[in-house]
Amino acid sequence: MSAGLWNYMFEGLLVTLQLTIFGAVLGLVFAFAAGLARLSGNKLLRGMGFAYTEAFRGLSALVVLFWLIFVLPTVFGVQLAPLFAGVLALALNIGAYGAEVVRGAVRAVPRSQIEAAIALNFTPWQRMRKVVLPQAVVAMIPSFSNNLIELLKATALVSVVFLSDLTFGAQLVRASTGNTAGTFGLLLVAYGLIALVFTTLMRLLERRAAASLGRTVPPGMIARIFRRTEASA
Amino acid sequence: MNWDWQIFWDSFPRLLDGLVIALQATVIGYLIALVLGLVFALLRRSRLVWISAPVGLVVEFIRSTPLLVQLFFLFYVLPQFDVHLSTLMTGAIGLGVHYATYISEVYRAGIDGVPQGQWEAAKALNLPARRTWTSVILPQAIPRSAPALGNYVIAMFKDTPQLIVITLPEMLTTAQGIGSETFRYPEPITVAGILYLATALVMSWIARIFERRFGTVRAA
C-alpha cells in the first residue's frame, strides 16, 4: 500500500474522530435540553421534549442524514457544510437516546434529596445545579459510554453520502488495491481499537465520578471478555 | 419552497414495496439474532476459558464496530470464499449477527436474574444439565428478557436503511432510485422518512402489547 493510500486512511480517521467528538458534544447539549424539558413542569416544554425523543429514536440516523443532504438544500434552500450535516444528523440521533438517559438519571435521584434542598431554601436552579445534577451525572456516565460507542459506529454512515471518513478512505483503498478482505478486515480492527480507546477513557471518567460519591464500578469491555473466568475462579 | 406533491404521492407504492423488503430482512435477521444470541450467551457462560474468552472477544468486537462495515465485509468478502447469497440473505445475516451480540447481553441479564434457589433446587432434584436449562432456567430467563428483546426488533428495523450499501432494494435504496429517475430527491426521501417513523411507532406499540402478554414469569 503506497503512502498516498495511507494518507486517505489517516485523513479519514481524522474526519471520523471529528464527527465522533463534535457529535458527542452537540448530542450532549440536545440530550440535556430534551431530557430536562421532559421533566419540566411546563406542558409545552414537556411536549417538545417528547416529540423530539420519539421522532429521532424512531428514525435511523442515515435517513436523517439523507434528509439534511438531499431535502434541505432543494426544498428550503439551506445548504449545510457536509461535515456539519454529518455532525448534526448524528447528534440529533444520539441526543434523543441521551435524553432518555438524562431523564432516567435525574428521576433516580432520591426524592428526599430534593426535599432536603427545598427545606434548605435552595432556589430551583440551585437545587438542580448543587444537589440533583452532581448525583445524576454520575449515574449517566455508564450509559453515555455506550452511547459514545454507538455514535462512533454511526459515523461510518456518512461514507454513504460521500463524506471522506475512515470507511470512505477504506473504500478508496479497496478500489485501488483490490484487496477486499484485508482492507475491510483492517478497517473493522481499526474501529474496534478506537472503541477500546474511547471505552477506556470513559471508564477512567466513570471511576473518578463514582469514587466522588463513594460507589463502585461495573466491569468494562476487557473485564467482560473474561467475566466467566473471574466468576468461576 | 420547491415541492412536487405529484411525485410525493406517486412515490408511495414503490416505497411500500421497499418497506416489505425491509421488514423481511428484519424478520429473518431477528430470528438469526434470537438463536445466535442465545448461543453466544450460553458459550460465554462456559466454564472452559478457551471457549468463553474467545467468544467474549468476538462478541465485544462485533458490538463495537459499525454494522455498515460488517455489511461491506459480508457483501464483498463472502463471494471470495465461494459463498454466494442473495443480497436479502447477506443483509439479514449482517443484521442478525450484529444484533445477536446485543441480544446475548439481554439473555445474560435474564439468566443472571433467575434466583440462585432455582439452580439449587434443580441440583437437589438431580436434574441433568439439559433439563435444568430447558425446564427450569430458560423458561424463567426468557420472559424476563422480553421487554428488551422487543426493543431490539425496532432497533434492527431502524438499521435496515444501511442495507442501501449492499444494494438491497429496501426503502431508502428505492427512494434514491426514484430520485435518480425523476431528478426529484426531496419527496421520495421524505415519504421514506414518514414510512420509517410510522412503522417504528406501530412496532413499538405492538412490542408493548407483547410485553404485557408474555413479559411475566408464569408461576407454575
Side-chain angles (χ1 to χ4, degrees):
Chain A
M1 212 160 99
S2 70
L5 290 179
W6 276 111
N7 232 9
Y8 279 130
M9 294 287 267
F10 183 70
E11 281 168 19
L13 175 65
L14 289 183
V15 172
T16 293
L17 292 177
Q18 280 174 13
L19 284 165
T20 312
I21 291 165
F22 295 148
V25 172
L26 192 58
L28 212 54
V29 174
F30 289 145
F32 271 92
L36 295 179
R38 287 197 67 178
L39 294 165
S40 138
N42 184 322
K43 222 175 195 169
L44 184 68
L45 278 180
R46 259 207 325 270
M48 279 164 50
F50 178 76
Y52 164 72
T53 47
E54 286 300 303
F56 284 94
R57 286 194 316 156
L59 278 173
S60 148
L62 190 57
V63 176
V64 177
L65 190 62
F66 263 65
W67 207 85
L68 290 179
I69 301 259
F70 292 112
V71 181
L72 218 50
T74 32
V75 179
F76 300 98
V78 182
Q79 181 87 54
L80 302 175
L83 187 68
F84 180 67
V87 168
L88 186 61
L90 294 169
L92 282 169
N93 184 259
I94 209 74
Y97 288 93
E100 291 294 289
V101 175
V102 170
R103 188 168 73 105
V106 168
R107 278 179 43 159
V109 172
R111 179 82 202 139
S112 54
Q113 296 280 332
I114 295 156
E115 285 163 4
I118 294 171
L120 289 170
N121 208 17
F122 278 24
T123 64
W125 171 239
Q126 283 175 324
R127 222 153 62 207
M128 189 50 92
R129 197 165 53 93
K130 297 206 182 263
V131 179
V132 176
L133 284 184
Q135 300 181 60
V137 167
V138 174
M140 291 173 203
I141 295 174
S143 304
F144 279 159
S145 177
N146 286 337
N147 286 349
L148 185 64
I149 302 306
E150 293 298 317
L151 175 63
L152 167 68
K153 283 158 54 180
T155 59
L157 298 177
V158 301
S159 66
V160 180
V161 292
F162 308 116
L163 245 126
S164 46
D165 77 326
L166 190 59
T167 303
F168 192 76
Q171 284 168 315
L172 294 181
V173 170
R174 175 190 163 262
S176 61
T177 62
N179 181 354
T180 306
T183 313
F184 286 143
L186 194 70
L187 181 62
L188 283 171
V189 172
Y191 275 108
L193 289 178
I194 302 171
L196 190 62
V197 171
F198 275 127
T199 35
T200 311
L201 290 176
M202 287 301 280
R203 297 272 307 159
L204 288 176
L205 188 68
E206 193 184 333
R207 203 164 295 174
R208 292 191 62 166
S212 75
L213 291 185
R215 293 179 190 160
T216 52
V217 183
M221 195 199 265
I222 306 250
R224 280 207 302 272
I225 293 173
F226 290 102
R227 175 159 44 207
R228 195 55 210 161
T229 344
E230 288 173 348
S232 59
Chain B
M1 188 84 172
N2 177 355
W3 189 263
D4 189 334
W5 284 106
Q6 188 61 40
I7 293 174
F8 180 86
W9 295 116
D10 287 351
S11 306
F12 270 95
R14 280 178 63 188
L15 287 172
L16 285 171
D17 287 341
L19 177 62
V20 171
I21 291 178
L23 288 173
Q24 283 170 351
T26 311
V27 170
I28 302 172
Y30 193 63
L31 292 176
I32 295 171
L34 280 180
V35 175
L36 195 59
L38 189 59
V39 171
F40 283 153
L42 294 179
L43 288 180
R44 285 187 83 173
R45 294 186 69 88
S46 165
R47 215 156 294 206
L48 304 168
V49 182
W50 55 269
I51 294 181
S52 68
V55 173
L57 179 69
V58 167
V59 168
E60 295 294 331
F61 179 71
I62 294 175
R63 209 159 58 142
S64 56
T65 52
L67 173 62
L68 191 80
V69 182
Q70 292 165 5
L71 288 170
F72 275 132
F73 194 87
L74 288 176
F75 187 64
Y76 291 109
V77 178
L78 284 185
Q80 291 188 349
F81 292 92
D82 259 337
V83 182
H84 297 279
L85 298 168
S86 66
T87 44
L88 179 66
M89 274 317 284
T90 309
I93 291 172
L95 286 169
V97 172
H98 193 80
Y99 274 88
T101 63
Y102 289 95
I103 283 180
S104 75
E105 283 295 294
V106 176
Y107 284 130
R108 185 189 63 74
I111 294 169
D112 286 352
V114 175
Q116 190 61 32
Q118 299 286 324
W119 290 96
E120 288 161 7
K123 189 166 258 176
L125 290 169
N126 209 13
L127 290 184
R130 176 184 284 271
R131 274 301 300 281
T132 307
W133 279 103
T134 56
S135 311
V136 181
I137 305 301
L138 291 180
Q140 298 183 70
I142 290 174
R144 270 173 228 275
S145 319
L149 288 179
N151 288 339
Y152 282 118
V153 190
I154 302 161
M156 190 186 262
F157 171 71
K158 281 187 330 211
D159 273 343
T160 56
Q162 297 192 33
L163 301 177
I164 191 174
V165 298
I166 60 167
T167 68
L168 181 72
E170 49 72 58
M171 246 193 309
L172 195 61
T173 318
T174 312
Q176 206 182 30
I178 297 175
S180 59
E181 287 163 22
T182 60
F183 302 106
R184 294 288 310 167
Y185 286 92
E187 295 84 1
I189 290 174
T190 305
V191 174
I194 293 169
L195 289 175
Y196 277 119
L197 192 57
T199 315
L201 292 176
V202 170
M203 284 169 96
S204 71
W205 177 66
I206 296 172
R208 268 200 293 275
I209 294 174
F210 262 83
E211 191 183 320
R212 263 205 303 269
R213 176 74 182 73
F214 299 108
T216 44
V217 181
R218 271 182 308 149

